[in-house]
Amino acid sequence: MKKSRAVISLLLVAAISGLMAYTVLIGFGKGHRGSYHNIKKGLDLAGGASITYQAVGEEPPSQEDLNDTKYKLQRRVDQYSTEAQVYTEGTDRLNIEIPGISGVAETNQILEDLGRPGSLYFIRQTDDAGNQNYQLGVTENGGVEYVLTKELDQIIADGDAVVTGTQVTDAKAGYQQDDMGNKEIVVSLTFDDTGREAFAKATTKAFSAGETIGIYYDGHFISVPSVQAAITDGRAVITGESTIEDAENLASTIRIGGLKVELERLRSQIVGAQLGQDAIRTSKFAGLIGFCLVALLMIIVYLLPGFTAVLALIIYILMMAIVLNGFDITLTLPGIAGILLSIGMAVDANVIIFARVREELANGIGVKTAIRNGYSKALSAIIDGNVTTLIAAAVLAVLGSGTVKGFAYTLAIGIVLSMITSLFVTRLLMNIFYGLGLTDKKLYGIGKKRTPIKFVEKRKVFFAISIALVLSGFVAMGVFRATQGNALNYSLDFVGGTSTSVSFNEDMSLEKIESEVIPIFTEVTGDNNVQIQKVAGSNEVIFKSVVLDTDKSTELSNQLVEKFAVDKDSITSETISSTISDEMKRDALIAVAVALVLMLLYIWFRFKDLRFGASSVICLAHDVLVVLAFYAFVRISVGSTFIACMLTIVGYSINATIVIFDRVRENLRQRSRQQTLEEVVNESITDTLSRSIFTSLTTFFMVFALFIFGVSSVKEFALPIMIGIICGAYSSICLAGSIWYVMRKKADDAARAGIDSKKSGKGTDSDKGSGSKSGKKKNDYSNLSKKERKERRRKEEEAKNKAKITV
């Protein structure tokens, strides 16, 4: 790049970066659009809306119906926020928490969209006497829509509500071809056996009379389709929607309206952040400290390329903030985990490239060519590492829910942006600096060839350590299960608890609550992880803790009355279910299993060797089990961030392993006849050792800063990830290559044994029994141990080489 072009390019990059920085830090217009202040934050960071529904009817619904309703409602509210949660309260209530909702108007819009779950009816246009059940009418605002001509109760009593929502087993939007062969938007409905029979009778009559059947939900007709035929197979389609979004909304409304339990709204309120402003402030400070440590390490170790990586990382963070705004992603602690992981991968890609550039410079190649070759040789490792993690993120986003989705979205966005910055932005900056005259090799660093470390020879020691760590975790969980009832220290996110609502006589700040009220709850309940929510516009505070019996609940009330003079009647308690439902855990496990299978297939496809994929998955399982053992021993609370921690570890570990396997694949192609398989693996791990260490350090610094400066809940989130980073680096360096080597060696030995047996079988009878030299050699060779066989081959190779030299 010429100097003039380099200057212009630098000014252009500076201008674009300045514009992005202005957008993120200040924003545009009155609403400061694009500013990081406008990024939606979850309940744990900024609060949101809390809505409580109660089941209609004299008898409470069955637990099965309530769980089914909770799950379907969870799928519905996921559209408002990636971190929305639904859990049961008492025996007949469902509570919805939607983060990122900060105003009454927005809450009311959600309430209007949700309507009254479980109150959907398919109504005939006319009754048996020919009287209209509904007709077009004028609304209060002057619009025209279908309205009932009778009371709904009367229509139900007359039998004109032919099908209820509970008889609809599925409703989904899609496309089909019309009679002209054109694609049209439809909503497909499926009925159960009772609904199929009732709908068949209703559509038969409506079709003969040329009538419609209205779909009535929560006081309004959401669709009034005409009947084109008698539908007797329990499957119907609704046409006429103008966009696929409208069709999806209609399908979603039919599903929510067809819940088994009919609900009515009991209360709705805006709640404050669970972590408080102090947690947000300290997390920002910790992030800044962590970034400074990463920047310092990159510049000290990698000199000018390290400086360009820091600039690219700043651009990456600005791009991430803009995209989070643009896609309206709700950011919570699990989401931050995804961002941390993607930052680590962004640094990782640069470290891989810079190591390659240094190797090229060590071979005497010029700086410009070294930069080009470095990017070319690092490309496959970067793509494979990022694609495998992106596969996991995509699967988790599709199959996961709640916390898992929030993690997956931020991780996927981060991976894409990190690849852009590492492969294009960093390269552009390096070419700019080179064009400005910074061409001295010393500025880029010259690599040194290191003597391969014998990792494979120590494999038995590494295997023994890993097996001991994993087994100790299972032993600890068994002991704690027997002595304390739970293998892990599950929080109320997993096992449920008690929600205690207290109306104080003054507006209590979060800091005062944490310093004065929380200690009372901790002393009485023994729970060190009490969650708090302030109700906006009132002095009410909601405390969520472990399940309280009558004695503890009474003691808690007495202490609150004594120390804060609150009205005892203003203290109410309800048992709440876990926010992480069985369905959510099932979805998470299915998503992780599918992701692992797809990653295994991708690695198999890319490396043309299933053993690479199998080794990677074994290392992933090892890392997860070791961190699980850490949870068991230290008794860290297992809550909503537990899944995100585990997913972070899986994503981080697979990337490091892929980089090593990429070098193994490359060195196998260049392997000399004298080089053993063990030497290839050792050389590959040694070549990538600095990358593995420095990448782990940069990611560790980011999380370590959170652990040092964060509040207690943030510390419990950061500590397992720190252990996972260490464990991931260990498994990638000490286990992955050795596991692959053992698998490959066994396969090679088996194949060689098969060839030897075929050769011995093809000999003549005289060869087999005469005791000739050739026969004796074969017999002696086949009877050797593995170690003796290896030594024999080495001596034979030495003899061949000496013979060549002599000739």
Side-chain angles (χ1 to χ4, degrees):
M1 182 181 290
K2 294 182 179 180
K3 190 170 185 177
S4 58
R5 287 181 60 189
V7 171
I8 294 172
S9 298
L10 183 61
L11 292 174
L12 186 61
V13 170
I16 295 173
S17 301
L19 179 62
M20 287 194 298
Y22 179 85
T23 303
V24 171
L25 297 176
I26 300 175
F28 296 95
K30 292 183 179 179
H32 298 284
R33 292 192 303 273
S35 169
Y36 78 94
H37 294 288
N38 290 333
I39 295 176
K40 279 190 174 182
K41 302 178 184 69
L43 277 168
D44 52 358
L45 299 179
S50 176
I51 305 165
T52 302
Y53 286 101
Q54 187 166 29
V56 176
E58 296 181 1
E59 295 293 328
S62 67
Q63 192 61 46
E64 182 182 357
D65 287 346
L66 200 62
N67 287 339
D68 181 65
T69 301
K70 179 176 70 171
Y71 181 62
K72 290 180 179 177
L73 203 56
Q74 175 72 59
R75 306 301 291 187
R76 168 69 182 227
V77 298
D78 278 346
Q79 65 178 307
Y80 303 117
S81 169
T82 56
E83 300 288 343
Q85 294 179 337
V86 181
Y87 56 89
T88 58
E89 182 177 332
T91 59
D92 61 350
R93 294 180 184 178
L94 284 169
N95 201 62
I96 303 171
E97 292 182 348
I98 306 175
I101 308 301
S102 57
V104 176
E106 196 171 358
T107 304
N108 288 337
Q109 183 60 50
I110 290 175
L111 291 172
E112 184 179 337
D113 291 344
L114 285 176
R116 185 174 175 179
S119 59
L120 183 81
Y121 301 94
F122 288 72
I123 299 175
R124 295 164 54 185
Q125 183 177 343
T126 61
D127 59 20
D128 292 335
N131 299 315
Q132 297 283 330
N133 286 318
Y134 55 82
Q135 63 185 15
L136 284 173
V138 179
T139 61
E140 293 179 357
N141 58 8
V144 177
E145 67 176 25
Y146 282 96
V147 294
L148 292 176
T149 59
K150 308 174 184 177
E151 293 295 327
L152 178 60
D153 291 341
Q154 183 63 45
I155 292 175
I156 295 173
D158 293 340
D160 290 331
V162 291
V163 178
T164 63
T166 58
Q167 295 166 336
V168 180
T169 59
D170 192 21
K172 56 186 177 182
Y175 297 92
Q176 73 173 15
Q177 286 189 338
D178 60 18
D179 295 336
M180 302 296 293
N182 300 317
K183 185 184 293 185
E184 64 177 345
I185 300 169
V186 299
V187 174
S188 303
L189 305 179
T190 305
F191 300 93
D192 62 15
D193 292 339
T194 305
R196 176 180 58 80
E197 184 177 347
F199 199 65
K201 292 179 180 179
T203 52
T204 300
K205 179 184 176 184
F207 176 62
S208 62
E211 294 181 351
T212 59
I213 290 182
I215 305 176
Y216 188 77
Y217 171 59
D218 192 34
H220 298 280
F221 282 93
I222 57 174
S223 180
V224 185
S226 59
V227 179
Q228 305 294 324
I231 301 170
T232 59
D233 62 352
R235 297 179 180 274
V237 294
I238 302 172
T239 60
E241 298 299 323
S242 56
T243 65
I244 189 64
E245 288 79 14
D246 291 340
E248 287 173 347
N249 285 333
L250 176 58
S252 181
T253 302
I254 292 173
R255 288 196 300 270
I256 198 71
L259 293 173
K260 292 183 178 180
V261 179
E262 185 174 346
L263 305 172
E264 63 180 359
R265 189 168 72 252
L266 193 63
R267 61 176 178 264
S268 62
Q269 53 200 13
I270 305 296
V271 296
Q274 295 171 351
L275 298 182
Q277 292 300 316
D278 187 49
I280 298 174
R281 179 181 56 80
T282 55
S283 296
K284 288 180 181 178
F285 179 72
L288 180 62
I289 295 297
F291 179 83
C292 291
L293 290 174
V294 170
L296 190 63
L297 177 67
M298 291 296 291
I299 293 172
I300 290 175
V301 174
Y302 292 103
L303 307 175
L304 181 60
F307 177 68
T308 64
V310 172
L311 295 179
L313 199 56
I314 294 173
I315 294 173
Y316 162 82
I317 293 172
L318 294 174
M319 291 170 64
M320 173 62 83
I322 292 173
V323 172
L324 287 175
N325 254 318
F327 285 92
D328 209 24
I329 301 295
T330 302
L331 188 62
T332 62
L333 270 179
I336 292 174
I339 294 175
L340 286 175
L341 177 54
S342 60
I343 288 177
M345 296 183 71
V347 174
D348 180 38
N350 286 315
V351 169
I352 296 171
I353 293 165
F354 300 157
R356 287 292 194 170
V357 171
R358 287 186 167 187
E359 288 177 11
E360 295 295 304
L361 292 174
N363 293 330
I365 297 174
V367 173
K368 187 175 182 180
T369 305
I371 293 173
R372 184 175 63 249
N373 292 350
Y375 272 88
S376 176
K377 290 185 176 181
L379 186 62
S380 62
I382 294 172
I383 290 177
D384 289 338
N386 282 277
V387 168
T388 48
T389 311
L390 192 60
I391 288 172
V395 173
L396 294 170
V398 173
L399 299 181
S401 59
T403 299
V404 177
K405 275 187 181 291
F407 170 83
Y409 287 151
T410 53
L411 177 59
I413 292 170
I415 291 171
V416 173
L417 294 181
S418 69
M419 289 185 68
I420 292 173
T421 52
S422 60
L423 293 177
F424 300 103
V425 176
T426 308
R427 185 172 190 172
L428 175 62
L429 290 172
M430 289 183 68
N431 286 329
I432 287 173
F433 288 132
Y434 181 84
L436 292 174
L438 301 176
T439 58
D440 192 339
K441 288 186 177 182
K442 293 180 181 179
L443 294 173
Y444 298 84
I446 301 174
K448 296 178 181 178
K449 188 66 176 177
R450 296 181 175 85
T451 303
I453 302 172
K454 297 180 179 180
F455 287 101
V456 177
E457 287 187 2
K458 302 291 190 300
R459 62 185 182 275
K460 292 183 179 179
V461 176
F462 296 140
F463 291 169
I465 292 172
S466 296
I467 292 171
L469 288 174
V470 171
L471 290 179
S472 66
F474 285 111
V475 171
M477 286 188 282
V479 171
F480 283 117
R481 185 178 182 85
T483 56
Q484 300 183 11
N486 281 323
L488 300 171
N489 181 23
Y490 295 108
S491 74
L492 60 91
D493 291 324
F494 273 87
V495 298
T498 297
S499 174
T500 304
S501 176
V502 183
S503 292
F504 291 92
N505 297 323
E506 59 176 315
D507 185 15
M508 302 279 283
S509 66
L510 284 170
E511 288 72 20
K512 188 174 182 179
I513 294 171
E514 290 173 351
S515 62
E516 298 181 19
V517 185
I518 293 296
I520 296 175
F521 272 83
T522 301
E523 180 185 349
V524 175
T525 65
D527 186 357
N528 294 316
N529 297 282
V530 179
Q531 298 178 9
I532 58 174
Q533 290 179 338
K534 287 188 65 180
V535 178
S538 72
N539 297 335
E540 184 182 357
V541 181
I542 300 170
F543 299 87
K544 297 177 183 177
S545 63
V546 295
V547 176
L548 302 180
D549 56 28
T550 304
D551 292 339
K552 288 185 177 180
S553 184
T554 302
E555 181 184 353
L556 183 62
S557 298
N558 292 336
Q559 290 206 32
L560 291 172
V561 171
E562 179 184 344
K563 296 185 178 182
F564 298 98
V566 300
D567 183 358
K568 195 167 186 177
D569 293 335
S570 71
I571 304 174
T572 60
S573 297
E574 285 281 1
T575 300
I576 59 175
S577 71
S578 60
T579 56
I580 299 177
S581 63
D582 292 336
E583 292 86 355
M584 194 180 296
K585 286 184 277 189
R586 182 200 65 198
D587 288 348
L589 290 174
I590 292 174
V592 171
V594 172
L596 288 177
V597 171
L598 291 179
M599 285 192 289
L600 176 65
L601 293 176
Y602 176 80
I603 297 170
W604 184 12
F605 169 75
R606 286 287 293 159
F607 287 82
K608 304 297 187 287
D609 187 346
L610 183 60
R611 289 178 288 264
F612 283 116
S615 303
S616 301
V617 172
I618 291 172
C619 286
L620 292 184
H622 163 272
D623 297 340
V624 168
L625 291 175
V626 171
V627 174
L628 192 64
F630 178 77
Y631 267 100
F633 275 108
V634 184
R635 305 305 286 172
I636 295 178
S637 177
V638 177
S640 60
T641 58
F642 170 77
I643 296 175
C645 286
M646 289 301 184
L647 295 174
T648 303
I649 292 160
V650 168
Y652 188 83
S653 178
I654 189 69
N655 191 54
T657 304
I658 288 296
V659 172
I660 293 175
F661 283 162
D662 181 79
R663 186 59 69 97
V664 171
R665 176 176 58 180
E666 179 182 328
N667 288 340
L668 280 174
R669 297 194 191 108
Q670 303 169 358
R671 177 186 180 187
S672 65
R673 292 177 60 88
Q674 291 77 30
Q675 194 176 26
T676 65
L677 191 63
E678 183 176 324
E679 291 170 345
V680 170
V681 176
N682 286 332
E683 181 182 349
S684 302
I685 299 173
T686 306
D687 288 345
T688 56
L689 187 61
S690 61
R691 169 264 154 212
S692 299
I693 293 173
F694 290 133
T695 300
S696 299
L697 279 177
T698 54
T699 313
F700 187 86
F701 283 161
M702 295 292 294
V703 185
F704 182 68
L706 281 174
F707 177 74
I708 294 296
F709 299 104
V711 295
S712 58
S713 54
V714 176
K715 289 178 184 286
E716 287 196 345
F717 162 76
L719 184 58
I721 292 184
M722 289 165 56
I723 300 300
I725 290 171
I726 296 172
C727 186
Y730 165 78
S731 66
S732 297
I733 295 170
C734 302
L735 299 180
S738 295
I739 293 172
W740 176 84
Y741 169 80
V742 170
M743 291 182 177
R744 173 70 181 264
K745 188 74 167 52
K746 285 186 176 181
D748 288 353
D749 288 346
R752 188 176 294 111
I755 293 173
D756 289 344
S757 63
K758 287 182 180 179
K759 287 182 177 179
S760 61
K762 288 179 180 178
T764 62
D765 292 339
S766 58
D767 289 334
K768 293 176 183 177
S770 63
S772 65
K773 288 183 180 181
S774 59
K776 184 178 181 181
K777 183 178 180 181
K778 288 179 182 178
N779 289 334
D780 288 345
Y781 193 83
S782 61
N783 290 328
L784 293 177
S785 65
K786 288 185 178 180
K787 187 174 181 180
E788 292 170 333
R789 202 180 303 168
K790 180 179 178 181
E791 182 64 20
R792 173 69 64 83
R793 291 197 193 96
R794 187 183 65 79
K795 289 180 179 180
E796 288 175 355
E797 290 291 342
E798 287 180 356
K800 289 179 183 178
N801 291 334
K802 288 180 181 179
K804 290 177 182 177
I805 294 171
T806 304
V807 173

